[in-house]
């Protein structure tokens, strides 16, 4: 599996950590679920990191999976966090 080959599973979750530093991860997998159901319990159980993308909830109720994916991939590819 990817995890046994040194990848870190990072799962987007509404109750996840809002402070993620991707620069400490050399190889990672970003798992995203749909807005209604989120990720399955099986995927969440594999996640070594659970994160959420912070945003101003007074202006935005939620982010769709495409937007969330773009933000997470940008942060991961640029070894940044939020």
């Amino acid at each position: 599996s990817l995890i046994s080959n040194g990848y870190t599973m990072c799962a987007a979750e509404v109750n996840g950590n809002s402070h993620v530093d991707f620069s400490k991860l050399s190889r990672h997998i970003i798992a995203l679920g749909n807005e209604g159901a989120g990720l399955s319990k099986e995927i969440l159980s594999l996640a070594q990191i659970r994160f959420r993308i912070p945003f101003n909830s007074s202006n935005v109720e939620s982010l769709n999976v495409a937007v969330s994916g773009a933000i997470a991939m940008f942060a991961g590819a640029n070894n940044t966090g939020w």
Side-chain angles (χ1 to χ4, degrees), residues 20-77:
V20 176
D21 184 0
F22 286 106
S23 69
K24 298 185 186 323
L25 306 175
S26 60
R27 299 187 288 179
H28 49 282
I29 305 159
I30 298 173
L32 305 168
N34 69 39
E35 189 175 345
L39 291 165
S40 70
K41 289 180 183 180
E42 181 182 14
I43 295 295
L44 288 173
S45 72
L46 295 172
Q48 293 123 313
I49 294 173
R50 294 183 185 194
F51 71 93
R52 68 180 175 88
I53 299 170
F55 60 89
N56 185 341
S57 60
S58 64
N59 295 329
V60 177
E61 199 170 294
S62 64
L63 301 174
N64 71 31
V65 71
V67 171
S68 297
I71 293 168
M73 287 185 282
F74 178 83

